[in-house]
Amino acid sequence: MTHEDEDIRFLLTEAVPPLAPPPDRVGAVARRVRRRRRRLSAGTALAVALTVGVGVGGVQILAGGDHPPAPRAATQATIREARCPVDLREFPNLESARYGDSEPLVPGGALEITACEVPNPAGRQDHGRTAPRVLTTGVGDIVRALNSLPPHQTMGGAGSPAAVERSLRCTAVAYDRELAYVLRYHDRQPVTVYTSANCRVAVSGAQGRGLDPALFATFLDRYRAQIVAQTPPATIPTPACASRIPTSRLRLTPGRSGLDDQVSANNPSKDPQLPSKLVAVVACRYEVGEASARLIGQDSDRDDADALRPFLNTAFDQGKVTSCGSYPGYPPPAVLDSLIVADATGATAEFWLRRTPCQALVGGRSSGVTPTDALVAALDRRLGPPPTR
């Protein structure tokens, strides 16, 4: 190549600008990835900031201003259910109570009162403890009765104050059980009133009162009325006569063998013997043989059942205790009438009227009493005259 040729190539090279390098596609992709990551990081930081801001100060923002959040409302303390004492070890020391105050023994406004029979291990043989009785109607009457108890211990009957002494005057009768009353409230814990039949006192907390024996009777009156109101008469079945009774059982008084008597569970004083209206009655007549008494007549009634109640109550109230059939060696009756009644609470009770060779009316676990002529005549109108033997 001559010098002229080199000069011409140089002029051509300088006259044309250099070509741009090919685009760097890998670098472009990397730059886009970095920009996207920066945008995501910024968005995430903003979201975290907003979340923390709402969590920490959101309540203030929603409430307006910089006021601190309102404190949570205090939850009401749980009110415990009423619980009967298990035994006498849960009873307080009666002598340590304060007697003579005029303050109410229990607060007003109770929703219900439970009467609890608390067994006494030192008592006589127990024939079965009645389940707790829960009173929900007439509760105010019992609250007033509790707050009207005499301020001091009473002995020898209600209203007969004992002499003021440093210690209580108590008897030593081995009662099978003692009574406690548990009052339940809507807005306070239950209140328990412990009573002592031996010392004739009632104690609640640090306060003591004298015990009126009519307190439990008043409670049972309201309790029976509550059951009657809740029990439709049509749901109470008519009792039925047993086809046979073992003669050996008839040789013993109910005090030894015992007759069915659900009524007395809510009427322990048996004054009167049948306190509630009768809704059904069945009269059964038996002819007594060597081994068993055989049913020979019966009459049931629902329409006029209560007509027998005054005859039975009067007979037990006025009758005198008799030895007729009162010990195992006494001969069984030749003819026996049995009365089974159901009262308006649904409870039943059975009564025996021994007809020959001697007359005695027995019921529950009581000794026999001489029947009244009115009761005997009322039974004969239902069953006819007894057969002669």
Side-chain angles (χ1 to χ4, degrees), residues 89-105:
R89 287 175 295 184
E90 295 189 37
F91 276 47
N93 184 338
L94 303 178
E95 291 193 1
S96 64
R98 184 178 63 252
Y99 297 92
D101 288 354
S102 59
E103 298 177 4
L105 184 65

Side-chain angles (χ1 to χ4, degrees), residues 4 6 25 37 57 66 73 97 123 143 154 220 227 252 258 268 271:
E4 291 80 7
E6 291 179 357
R25 299 185 181 277
R37 287 178 178 174
D66 297 327
V143 170
T154 59
L220 289 178
I227 298 176
L252 306 177
D271 183 22

